[in-house]
Amino acid sequence: MTADRGKQLSRRDFLRAAAATAATAFGAPALLRPVQAAGSGPKAAWESRFSACDMCFNRCGLIARVENGTVVKLDPNPKFTKSRGMLCARGNAGIAQLYDPDRLKYPLLRVGARGEGGFKRISWDEALDLAASKLKELGDTYTRCGTLFTAGADLQSQFVSRFAEAYGSFNVTSHESLCLLSGTRAFLDTFGEVPFPDVLNSRYIVMAGANRLEALVTPDSMDLVTAMQRGCKLVYLDPRFTKTAALATEWHAIRPGSDMAFMLALAHVIIRERLYDEAWISEKVYGLEQLAEHVRPHTPEWAEAETGIPAADITRIARELAAAAPEAMVYPGRRTSDYTDSTQIRRSFAIVNALLGNWDQPGGLLGARAVGLRSVPLDAPWYDDNPPERVDGGMAPMLFEHDGSFVLTREAVLSGKPYPIKGWFVFKTNPMATAPDRERTRAMIEKLDFMVVVDITMSDTAYMADLVLPAPSYLERLDPASGLQGSSACACVVWRDPVVPALYESRPVFDIVKGLAARLGLAEHFDFTVEQYRKRQLGGLPGAEQALVKDGVYYNPSKVYGLYDRQAHKTLSTKIEIFNQRYAQLGLDPLPVYTPPKNPPAGRFRLVVGRDATVTQSSTQNNALLHEFTPENTLWLHPDAARGLGVKDGDMVLVESVVGKGELRAEVTAGIRPDTVYMLSGFGVLSDGLSLIKGRGASINALLESGHDRITGNAAMHETFVTVSRRAA
Ligand SMILES: Nc1nc2c(c(=O)[nH]1)N[C@H]1C(S)=C(S)[C@@H](COP(=O)(O)OP(=O)(O)OC[C@H]3O[C@@H](n4cnc5c(=O)[nH]c(N)nc54)[C@H](O)[C@@H]3O)O[C@H]1N2
Ligand SMILES: Nc1nc2c(c(=O)[nH]1)N[C@H]1C(S)=C(S)[C@@H](COP(=O)(O)OP(=O)(O)OC[C@H]3O[C@@H](n4cnc5c(=O)[nH]c(N)nc54)[C@H](O)[C@@H]3O)O[C@H]1N2
Ligand code: SF4
Ligand SMILES: [Mo]
C-alpha cells in the first residue's frame, strides 16, 4: 500500500532531524569532530564521511553519519562556504532517496509495448552486450550521429559526453536547454562571460523571474537573507506572491512576459537623468549612444501600460538602483525558459547592469573566479560518414555547440530531418516530465529503435525505455572532481567518495560507458579509473587532494574583484557590449526590441511554471519525507477568476491546453494575478514505479506547449494559455 510507505519515515522524525541540523549548522563545534574517526561509547560505532548533496544541482557540502553501515543522518559541512553551512529540506531528505524502496535494483528489459510498463530482469552482461550491439547496429545504419545522448546535471555527466565523442555522435543535449541557456547567452553576449552575482555585498537588488527563497541557489539564497538583514533592498517582480515576494522590500505582480519593458524603462530613466558613471562607461562599455536612442520612447509611463507597475515606482526604482550602484544589481536569474524572446529579455537585464557599472566590484556581478581544475583530454576517433553538423544545427542562430536545443532536436527526430536519429542514451534527466509537451516527447520516443535510460528510479522517461539501468545515488558513488563557483563565496572543488557501498545491483554510469567502450573497441578512451581521472583533474592544484580529504572541499584563493582591471572582455569590441555587434552581423536585434506579450483571450489563463522549496524539478516528489510536505500539486487560481468559474478552494478542476489536459485540485489564492495560473511540475506521472505519487496531481508538462527562444532554441515554457473548469466532486 502506498500510504504505508510514507509512514516508514514520519514527518515528525524528519522535522526532528531537520531541527537538529539547523542547530548544528550554526553551532559548528558539534561538527568539528575529526571526520573519519569512529565514535566510541556503548552504542555501535559510527563514522562521519564527507559528500556533496545531489538532491539538486547545487552540490552543497555535507557530512554523512554512518552507523553500522547505514546512513542515519546528513549534516551540513560547516567548512563549505558555498552553501554557507546549510543543507535544505531536500538535502536532509537525501537518506530517503538512498533507501527508497522504489529504487531500481537491477537491469530491466522492456517486454510488451513501449510505455505499458512491462519489464523483465536481466543480467548486467546481457544488458551491456545488448546496448553495445544496438549502438553498433545503429552506427552502421544511421551513422554514429544517429544516436542522441542526453545527460542531466551530474558530476559523471562528463563521462557520458566523453563516451558520445569517442563513439562518434555530436548529438548531445542536456537539461540546460530546458533551463537557463537563453540567460547564459544574454550575459555571455553582453559581458563576454556568465557572471556570478555578489548578492552578499549588494545594497539593492532588482529580482525578476527568480524565486530565490524557494528555488534555492547557493550561496545566493542564503546571501540574500544576510544582505537584507544588513539593509539591502529587494525589489521583486513575479506574477505570483512567492516566499521571496513575502520577504521582499516590495513586490510587483508584473504582467507575465513584460519584464523587458520594465528594464528598458529603467534604462530610459537612468540615461535621461544621467545617473550613470560617464568615465566608467567610456572606458568599459560599447553602445551607450545607440541605447540612448533605443530607449527614448520607453518612458516609465509607457512601461506602466505594459507591465502594470506604476510609472512613479519605476522611476523611483531606477533612481534607487542607480544610487546604490555599483553595489547593486538586476539579478541575472537562472531559469529563463520563459518566452520566445528570452535571450533578449535577459539582455535587457544585463544592459541595465552594464549601464550602472555593476560589474567586477563588490555587490555587483562578478566574473568567474579561477578554480584550476584540469580537463582530461580525449583524442576522439574521426568518423568519415558522419553528417556535417548537429541535427538541430542551424535551427536557431546561436545554439550552444555542446548542449544544442532539446525541443529542436525533438522536432528533428520527429521529422527525420536533416537525418534520422534512432537511438537515445539518457542519463539522469527526465524529459518526459520536464520538457514541455509530454505527448511530443512520447511521439519522439516512438520514432526510436533503441532507448536506454540510466536512473535511480522508474522515472516517466525510464518507463518509456527499452533498457533501464539502475544507478547508485550520490551517497554510494565515487565521483570525479567538480569546480564550483559562488560569487565572492568561493571558487572551490568538490568530489564524492562513497558514503556507503552501492546498493542492489546498481552501477555508476562511468562503469556503464566504460563497459560499452570495451565492447565497441573504444577501451583506450576509458583506460583509467575514476581515482586516476581525479588525480589528473587535480594535477595543477597542489594541496587540493589533502584539503578534500581533510575538509571535504578545496578552496582556490583566487582573485575575486578587479579581474577586468587589465583584461579585455571576450566580445567583438573587447568591451561590455550594450549594443551587440555580432547580433547586428547575424541580422539579430543588436539591442533588445520589445514585443508585447499576448494577453490570454477571454476564458483563458497564462500558465506559468515555478518551484517549491521542498521539491526538485521532477525528481523528489516520490521521496517519502518530502512527499509529506508536498503530496500533490494544485492549480493556483485567483479568487476573482475562481468566482467567475464557480470554483471553490479544494475543488477538482480540469485544465486544458491545445496539447493536453489534466485534473487536479484548485488552490484559490490572492497570491497570483487573475490572468495567470500556476502548478508545480513532476506530478501526474505515468510510471507505475513511483508508488507514492502515482495517481496524484496533474502533469504541467503535459499541458505546456512547446515554444522556444528564437536565439538559443531554449525551451519557452510560458507561452501556453489554458482553460479551467470545475469537475463534479
Ligand atoms: N527548491 C528548489 N530549488 C531549486 C530547484 C528546484 O527544483 N527546487 N531547481 C534549481 C534549478 S535547476 C533552477 S534553474 C533554479 C530556478 O530558479 P528560478 O528561475 O528562480 O525558479 P522558478 O521558481 O522557476 O522561478 C521563476 C519565477 O518566475 C515567475 N514568473 C513567471 N513568469 C514571469 C514573468 O514573465 N516575469 C517575472 N518577473 N516572473 C515570472 C514564476 O512565477 C516563478 O516564481 O532553481 C534551482 N533551485
Ligand atoms: N514544468 C516545468 N518543467 C521544467 C521546469 C519547471 O520549473 N517546470 N524546470 C526546468 C529546469 S530549470 C530544469 S534544470 C529541468 C530539469 O529537468 P531534469 O534534468 O529532467 O531534472 P529532474 O527532474 O531533476 O530529473 C532528474 C532525473 O534524474 C534521476 N536521478 C536522480 N538522482 C540520480 C542519480 O544519482 N543517478 C541517476 N542516474 N539518476 C538520478 C531522477 O530520478 C530523475 O528521473 O526541468 C525543466 N523543466
Ligand atoms: S540546495 Fe538543498 S537540495 Fe540543493 S544541493 Fe543544497 S542542500 Fe542539496
Ligand atoms: Mo534549471
Side-chain angles (χ1 to χ4, degrees):
M1 281 270 298
T2 51
D4 292 328
R5 253 211 55 199
K7 290 191 186 119
Q8 290 173 359
L9 287 151
S10 82
R11 179 162 170 184
R12 198 173 340 121
D13 293 340
F14 178 52
L15 289 173
R16 220 183 286 134
T21 301
T24 47
F26 298 103
L31 279 169
L32 293 179
R33 246 175 249 138
V35 167
Q36 308 285 16
S40 54
K43 283 192 134 189
W46 57 270
E47 282 183 77
S48 291
R49 298 193 182 131
F50 290 120
S51 187
C53 182
D54 197 26
M55 295 297 285
C56 83
F57 70 93
N58 277 307
R59 296 169 204 160
C60 302
L62 67 81
I63 299 177
R65 180 173 166 139
V66 184
E67 279 181 16
N68 294 328
T70 302
V71 183
V72 294
K73 180 133 168 23
L74 301 174
D75 285 311
N77 177 350
K79 295 220 171 150
F80 203 85
T81 55
K82 179 182 183 276
S83 45
R84 305 291 185 203
M86 183 264 343
L87 271 194
C88 77
R90 293 166 298 149
N92 277 277
I95 296 178
Q97 186 194 69
L98 170 66
Y99 298 121
D100 185 348
D102 282 347
R103 285 259 317 252
L104 292 169
K105 301 184 179 62
Y106 27 73
L108 293 169
L109 182 67
R110 175 165 67 86
V111 289
R114 200 190 279 290
E116 274 184 2
F119 289 95
K120 70 168 187 189
R121 179 180 182 170
I122 59 171
S123 73
W124 270 105
D125 275 341
E126 285 173 291
L128 292 177
D129 288 347
L130 172 75
S133 75
K134 288 285 183 189
L135 285 172
K136 167 98 184 44
E137 199 181 302
L138 287 163
D140 291 347
T141 318
Y142 300 107
T143 83
R144 302 291 173 130
C145 287
T147 294
L148 170 67
F149 291 82
T150 304
D154 193 81
L155 301 195
Q156 295 213 8
S157 290
Q158 58 192 300
F159 295 136
V160 176
S161 302
R162 189 181 178 94
F163 177 77
E165 206 177 333
Y167 169 73
S169 175
F170 36 73
N171 286 316
V172 175
T173 61
S174 68
H175 66 291
E176 299 227 341
S177 70
L178 302 175
C179 175
L180 47 56
L181 285 185
S182 46
T184 301
R185 181 92 267 160
F187 280 83
L188 191 61
D189 293 348
T190 307
F191 290 94
E193 66 164 295
V194 184
F196 290 82
D198 191 13
V199 171
L200 184 68
N201 298 304
S202 202
R203 297 195 295 137
Y204 199 95
I205 299 175
V206 174
M207 188 173 270
N211 181 9
R212 204 40 75 247
L213 299 183
E214 288 179 274
L216 302 183
V217 171
T218 58
D220 300 13
S221 299
M222 281 78 65
D223 284 355
L224 182 58
V225 175
T226 311
M228 287 180 72
Q229 283 166 347
R230 294 178 187 167
C232 174
K233 299 273 185 296
L234 176 66
V235 175
Y236 182 71
L237 314 186
D238 196 312
R240 297 191 299 129
F241 186 73
T242 62
K243 305 260 186 323
T244 312
L247 289 173
T249 317
E250 56 188 282
W251 165 60
H252 299 278
I254 189 167
R255 177 161 77 109
S258 69
D259 297 75
M260 191 200 290
F262 179 86
M263 299 299 162
L264 295 177
L266 291 185
H268 173 99
V269 176
I270 292 164
I271 293 174
R272 187 180 68 196
E273 301 187 3
R274 291 191 170 269
L275 303 178
Y276 53 87
D277 176 345
E278 280 176 43
W280 196 86
I281 294 263
S282 69
E283 189 195 340
K284 295 278 187 192
V285 173
Y286 176 81
L288 178 66
E289 290 94 74
Q290 294 97 317
L291 179 69
E293 191 56 37
H294 183 67
V295 299
R296 189 159 299 138
H298 297 317
T299 61
E301 290 70 27
W302 166 83
E304 174 175 337
E306 291 299 325
T307 60
I309 303 174
D313 284 330
I314 300 176
T315 306
R316 174 182 51 78
I317 291 165
R319 289 177 185 154
E320 289 173 356
L321 180 68
E327 294 157 284
M329 67 177 76
V330 174
Y331 184 79
R334 192 182 164 89
R335 216 213 72 260
T336 60
S337 47
D338 301 342
Y339 302 93
T340 51
D341 59 348
S342 266
T343 297
Q344 295 288 17
I345 294 175
R346 295 284 164 163
R347 274 266 295 151
S348 72
F349 290 33
I351 284 169
V352 175
N353 285 309
L355 191 58
L356 291 175
N358 302 335
W359 174 246
D360 201 20
Q361 35 194 339
L365 308 183
L366 306 182
R369 297 173 55 185
V371 176
L373 274 187
R374 284 186 181 155
S375 57
V376 178
L378 166 71
D379 188 9
W382 175 260
Y383 298 92
D384 276 327
D385 59 341
N386 262 347
E389 62 170 345
R390 299 179 56 98
V391 75
D392 52 357
M395 291 171 80
M398 298 193 79
L399 286 174
F400 281 88
E401 186 52 37
H402 184 262
D403 301 281
S405 159
F406 178 74
V407 294
L408 291 173
T409 297
R410 189 174 65 184
E411 290 311 302
V413 177
L414 280 162
S415 69
K417 294 193 175 81
Y419 51 87
I421 291 211
K422 293 290 179 184
W424 196 9
F425 184 104
V426 182
F427 165 64
K428 204 194 183 189
T429 184
N430 186 12
M432 276 293 287
T434 52
D437 197 347
R438 183 166 77 184
E439 270 313 302
R440 244 178 139 61
T441 308
R442 193 210 287 265
M444 164 194 173
I445 292 169
E446 295 296 345
K447 292 272 176 187
L448 303 174
D449 291 345
F450 181 66
M451 175 180 178
V452 50
V453 173
V454 184
D455 206 298
I456 55 172
T457 54
M458 188 63 87
S459 69
D460 276 0
T461 306
Y463 200 63
M464 301 296 292
D466 299 294
L467 183 62
V468 180
L469 301 177
S473 78
Y474 63 106
L475 294 168
E476 303 152 74
R477 270 193 265 131
L478 184 82
D479 274 347
S482 169
L484 293 181
Q485 284 153 328
S487 66
S488 52
C490 66
C492 66
V493 177
V494 289
W495 68 23
R496 288 193 190 97
D497 283 334
V499 168
V500 287
L503 292 177
Y504 317 113
E505 289 186 15
S506 65
R507 284 194 194 174
V509 80
F510 174 76
D511 291 12
I512 295 172
V513 293
K514 189 171 167 141
L516 292 175
R519 287 165 172 80
L520 290 164
L522 300 166
E524 63 184 292
H525 305 296
F526 285 89
D527 61 348
F528 49 79
T529 61
V530 175
E531 285 95 332
Q532 289 164 340
Y533 187 91
R534 297 205 300 204
K535 282 208 185 305
R536 287 197 233 171
Q537 288 183 296
L538 294 177
L541 294 173
E545 191 167 342
Q546 292 85 324
L548 280 157
V549 171
K550 185 169 148 290
D551 297 331
V553 57
Y554 163 76
Y555 291 100
N556 188 328
S558 54
K559 198 171 170 184
V560 183
Y561 306 112
L563 263 52
Y564 281 87
D565 286 351
R566 275 181 297 280
Q567 186 184 314
H569 288 82
K570 292 183 210 82
T571 57
L572 280 185
S573 62
T574 74
K575 292 185 170 192
I576 298 169
E577 290 209 349
I578 283 180
F579 179 95
N580 189 292
Q581 304 194 83
R582 202 150 136 243
Y583 285 18
Q585 288 169 1
L586 287 168
L588 302 170
D589 293 329
L591 286 161
V593 174
Y594 179 72
T595 319
K598 283 193 211 87
N599 283 322
R604 289 180 177 260
F605 302 88
R606 190 182 285 272
L607 176 63
V608 298
V609 309
R611 291 173 161 67
D612 180 291
T614 62
V615 169
T616 300
Q617 287 110 233
S618 75
S619 55
T620 61
Q621 287 78 353
N622 198 58
N623 176 300
L625 294 172
L626 297 172
H627 177 73
E628 289 205 31
F629 288 104
T630 318
E632 62 185 24
N633 60 352
T634 54
L635 185 82
W636 287 30
L637 191 62
H638 189 272
D640 294 347
R643 209 172 303 121
L645 297 165
V647 170
K648 286 193 292 304
D649 189 54
D651 281 353
M652 285 300 285
V653 287
L654 171 69
V655 189
E656 278 180 285
S657 73
V658 299
V659 301
K661 57 185 171 187
E663 285 183 33
L664 74 172
R665 276 184 204 291
E667 182 171 340
V668 177
T669 165
I672 190 158
R673 288 171 57 97
D675 59 0
T676 306
V677 292
Y678 156 79
M679 59 201 268
L680 196 57
S681 62
F683 288 93
V685 296
L686 302 170
S687 168
D688 290 327
L690 302 166
S691 62
L692 291 180
I693 53 167
K694 177 78 180 181
R696 293 212 178 223
S699 164
I700 182 173
N701 290 61
L703 292 161
L704 291 169
E705 290 173 50
S706 181
H708 65 271
D709 169 52
R710 282 188 289 267
I711 294 185
T712 60
N714 201 87
M717 299 204 194
H718 287 175
E719 302 279 13
T720 303
F721 296 136
V722 294
T723 55
V724 178
S725 53
R726 195 168 77 85
R727 301 299 275 175

